[in-house]
């Protein structure tokens, strides 16, 4: 049944009426300005292209960048490069499918795509997946801040300040969440975080540049300074030669580490709704630019981190710099800047989590500042409690996150496109969606098995 032009809130089962997929997208593209009416109020000019790119880059990059040098050490330079490139291309393609479905169905949220595809259960499953993924990510970031920030601050102090409140991780975490995270998360639109995203992006670039510069400050074979005496860690000059391809028992962690390094799909549609002059092509360009910048920073950080420590690189590359350059001012500054970058990512992830919650419980009600405030407060309390009281939050949310990340990045876009698109199954988009679905299921199950295996063996 053909729906009238301008209808935004439509029932599941309505599609653009053109018979050919190309005609449908061309016809639906004219609806792009209408699709943003829900968030673009009259007089609003939207968020600029550059700010949208920075917001998306901030949503993509997180603490996972610390482990990419370790991944390269166990896959080789070319092996890692190939994996990272494939994941970046798949992430861009899955976003392309999401935007295509939004144009064809005239909705602007991930949750409503689930509603179109599988009715109310689909919407609830998508919303629940987003909430679990985002709460896990935010809690993990706060957990890192709780454990690492006191050590970073103490490096700038001389003397014994043990027992001071500003070196207590829990106290610092509560203060930061009250003063920084909660007020930023309360902002009504994701575009308002453009300034913090710019700052976070600068910190990540500084992190990558510092790794490049410090490559020439640490000789190979590695020597460790202990009580003013230098101990050589390795005598073999072969240990200082990069490997193009390398496989070991640790290589199994490479797939989950790279497969979910470009997860940004929960933030794509909120950013798209606030984009200036919104269109599918413009938002795809935003996505491609953000993924390209992220790929560049990821690759530079991993490459020079690996070329500094080679097979001796730790799963957290900052620990290596603290070990081999314990009194270096640049390393201290980098650690503090990185923690600030992680902190500024938390409010950005609040937006899709809060939106998913409100779409399930308050979807039929008009916007209310009371609901907005209480939902933001509840999410903030949950992630702070998780970061404080869960003893090893990375393992707990690693198990959940391995499945939710795979669903949001690969499984849902592929599955929904196969369900909603009227293209022939042999069309390149549907075949690509099917491949994306299969890869998502395999990657999710594989990473889940790896995390459970690692968890049980470490007990």
């Amino acid at each position: 049944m053909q729906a009238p032009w301008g209808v935004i809130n439509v029932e599941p089962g309505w599609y653009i009426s053109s018979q050919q997929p190309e005609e449908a997208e061309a016809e639906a593209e004219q609806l792009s300005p209408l699709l943003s009416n829900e968030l673009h109020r009259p007089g609003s000019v939207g968020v600029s292209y550059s700010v949208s790119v920075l917001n998306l880059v901030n949503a993509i990059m997180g603490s996972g960048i610390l482990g990419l040098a370790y991944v390269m050490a166990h896959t080789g330079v070319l092996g890692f490069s190939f994996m990272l490139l494939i994941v970046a291309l798949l992430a861009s393609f899955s976003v392309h499918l999401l935007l295509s479905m939004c144009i064809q169905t005239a909705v602007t949220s991930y949750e409503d795509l689930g509603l179109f595809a599988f009715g109310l259960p689909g919407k609830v499953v998508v919303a629940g997946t987003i909430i679990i993924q985002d709460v896990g990510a935010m809690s993990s970031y706060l957990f890192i801040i709780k454990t690492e920030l006191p050590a970073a601050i103490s490096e700038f102090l001389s003397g014994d300040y043990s027992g001071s409140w500003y070196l207590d991780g829990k106290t610092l975490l509560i203060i930061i969440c009250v003063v920084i995270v909660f007020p930023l998360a309360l902002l009504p639109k994701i575009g308002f975080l453009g300034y913090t995203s710019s700052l976070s992006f600068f910190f990540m670039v500084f992190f990558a540049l510092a790794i490049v510069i410090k490559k020439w400050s640490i000789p190979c074979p590695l020597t460790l300074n202990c009580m003013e005496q230098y101990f050589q860690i390795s005598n073999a000059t072969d240990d200082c030669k990069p490997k193009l391809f390398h496989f070991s028992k640790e290589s199994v962690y490479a797939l989950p580490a790279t497969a979910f390094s470009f997860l940004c799909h929960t933030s794509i549609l909120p950013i798209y709704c606030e984009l200036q002059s919104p269109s599918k092509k413009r938002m795809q360009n935003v996505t491609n630019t953000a993924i390209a910048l992220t790929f560049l920073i990821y690759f530079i950080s991993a490459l020079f981190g690996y070329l500094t420590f080679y097979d001796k690189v730790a799963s957290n590359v900052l620990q290596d710099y603290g070990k081999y350059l314990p009194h270096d001012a640049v390393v201290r500054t980098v650690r503090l800047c990185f923690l600030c970058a992680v902190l500024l990512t938390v409010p950005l992830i609040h937006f899709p989590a809060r939106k998913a919650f409100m779409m399930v419980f308050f979807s039929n009600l008009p916007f209310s500042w009371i609901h907005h405030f209480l939902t933001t407060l509840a999410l903030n309390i949950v992630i702070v409690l998780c970061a404080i009281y869960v003893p090893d939050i990375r393992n707990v949310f690693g198990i959940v996150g391995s499945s939710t990340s795979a669903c949001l990045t690969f499984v849902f876009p592929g599955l929904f496109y196969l369900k909603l698109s009227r293209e022939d199954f042999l069309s390149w988009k549907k075949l690509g969606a099917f491949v994306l679905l299969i890869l998502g299921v395999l990657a999710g199950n594989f990473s889940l098995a790896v995390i459970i295996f690692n968890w049980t063996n470490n007990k």
Side-chain angles (χ1 to χ4, degrees):
M1 177 179 178
Q2 182 174 355
W5 289 104
V7 174
I8 298 298
N9 295 318
V10 291
E11 295 298 323
W14 177 84
Y15 302 90
I16 299 300
S17 59
S18 299
Q19 296 300 315
Q20 299 298 322
E22 294 80 5
E23 296 176 5
E25 285 203 9
E27 180 181 341
E29 186 73 12
Q30 301 176 43
L31 279 174
S32 293
L34 297 175
L35 294 181
S36 60
N37 282 348
E38 293 176 333
L39 294 177
H40 276 185
R41 295 182 174 86
S44 175
V45 296
V47 180
S48 68
Y49 182 93
S50 58
V51 172
S52 298
V53 169
L54 290 173
N55 277 334
L56 191 54
V57 170
N58 195 20
I60 296 174
M61 286 195 294
S63 58
I65 193 175
L66 297 177
L68 293 182
Y70 179 82
V71 173
M72 182 177 284
H74 294 281
T75 54
V77 176
L78 292 183
F80 174 84
S81 303
F82 179 76
M83 289 182 61
L84 197 68
L85 179 61
I86 293 298
V87 170
L89 294 175
L90 288 176
S92 179
F93 177 67
S94 63
V95 170
H96 174 75
L97 294 183
L98 282 179
L99 295 175
S100 296
M101 287 183 286
C102 285
I103 294 297
Q104 293 182 29
T105 57
V107 297
T108 58
S109 71
Y110 210 150
E111 298 84 352
D112 280 339
L113 287 178
L115 180 68
F116 263 78
F118 298 103
L120 184 59
K123 178 179 181 178
V124 173
V125 168
V126 173
T129 304
I130 291 175
I131 292 171
I132 293 172
Q133 167 66 33
D134 290 345
V135 168
M138 289 187 291
S139 301
S140 299
Y141 292 163
L142 294 184
F143 183 83
I144 292 172
I145 292 171
K146 181 193 75 173
T147 55
E148 298 293 335
L149 185 57
I153 294 176
S154 64
E155 290 181 352
F156 289 91
L157 303 176
S158 58
D160 184 15
Y161 292 90
S162 57
S164 302
W165 66 268
Y166 47 83
L167 294 181
D168 180 69
K170 295 179 180 179
T171 303
L172 288 175
L173 181 62
I174 294 174
I175 293 175
I176 286 173
C177 287
V178 171
V179 176
I180 299 177
V181 176
F182 184 65
L184 289 177
L186 272 177
L187 295 173
K189 290 187 177 183
I190 201 169
F192 291 154
L193 291 176
Y195 294 108
T196 59
S197 293
S198 303
L199 191 60
S200 179
F201 178 72
F202 169 77
F203 288 151
M204 285 297 187
V205 171
F206 178 56
F207 171 81
L209 290 177
I211 288 181
V212 174
I213 295 171
K214 289 303 172 182
K215 187 257 182 292
W216 286 273
S217 299
I218 300 177
C220 190
L222 297 171
T223 55
L224 184 62
N225 185 357
C226 183
M227 301 294 293
E228 301 303 326
Q229 295 183 1
Y230 289 88
F231 295 92
Q232 191 163 300
I233 303 300
S234 174
N235 294 318
T237 55
D238 288 343
D239 290 344
C240 301
K241 295 180 180 179
K243 298 174 182 177
L244 298 182
F245 293 97
H246 179 62
F247 299 98
S248 67
K249 64 177 182 178
E250 299 296 327
S251 299
V252 295
Y253 296 99
L255 180 61
T258 56
F260 311 126
S261 55
F262 290 94
L263 175 63
C264 58
H265 297 60
T266 58
S267 300
I268 286 289
L269 299 181
I271 291 175
Y272 170 59
C273 288
E274 297 184 20
L275 179 64
Q276 193 177 69
S277 303
S279 68
K280 175 188 168 185
K281 180 179 180 181
R282 186 171 171 82
M283 187 61 209
Q284 187 67 55
N285 289 337
V286 168
T287 302
N288 294 341
T289 304
I291 289 179
L293 288 173
T294 304
F295 177 89
L296 184 62
I297 294 175
Y298 278 169
F299 182 75
I300 291 175
S301 302
L303 178 63
F304 283 90
Y306 170 59
L307 293 179
T308 302
F309 304 105
Y310 295 93
D311 291 341
K312 304 298 180 182
V313 66
S315 57
N316 181 344
V317 72
L318 278 180
Q319 293 179 354
D320 287 324
Y321 288 103
K323 181 192 301 183
Y324 295 103
L325 297 174
H327 306 296
D328 190 272
V330 174
V331 173
R332 293 177 179 178
T333 306
V334 165
R335 178 176 303 211
L336 197 59
C337 287
F338 182 83
L339 290 175
C340 291
V342 170
L343 173 64
L344 294 176
T345 304
V346 176
L348 193 68
I349 305 178
H350 253 283
F351 277 77
R354 180 179 59 225
K355 181 182 178 183
F357 183 88
M358 296 185 73
M359 286 194 70
V360 172
F361 295 99
F362 307 116
S363 60
N364 296 324
L365 300 177
F367 175 82
S368 168
W369 274 105
I370 295 178
H371 295 158
H372 180 88
F373 179 88
L374 292 178
T375 302
T376 305
L377 179 62
L379 284 173
N380 224 47
I381 292 174
V382 168
I383 61 176
V384 170
L385 291 178
C386 287
I388 290 178
Y389 292 108
V390 176
D392 194 347
I393 202 169
R394 299 181 190 182
N395 281 337
V396 175
F397 284 108
I399 293 178
V400 178
S402 63
S403 54
T404 57
S405 298
C407 288
L408 294 170
T409 309
F410 304 117
V411 176
F412 288 167
L415 182 62
F416 292 170
Y417 196 84
L418 291 173
K419 174 72 173 178
L420 295 176
S421 176
R422 296 185 298 176
E423 298 177 33
D424 185 80
F425 183 78
L426 295 179
S427 66
W428 74 271
K429 279 189 181 181
K430 271 209 168 179
L431 286 176
F434 180 74
V435 171
L436 203 65
L437 172 62
I438 298 301
L439 288 176
V441 172
L442 293 177
N445 289 330
F446 179 76
S447 60
L448 183 62
V450 167
I451 291 174
I452 293 177
F453 177 78
N454 181 60
W455 195 11
T456 54
N457 282 356
N458 287 339
K459 283 187 175 181

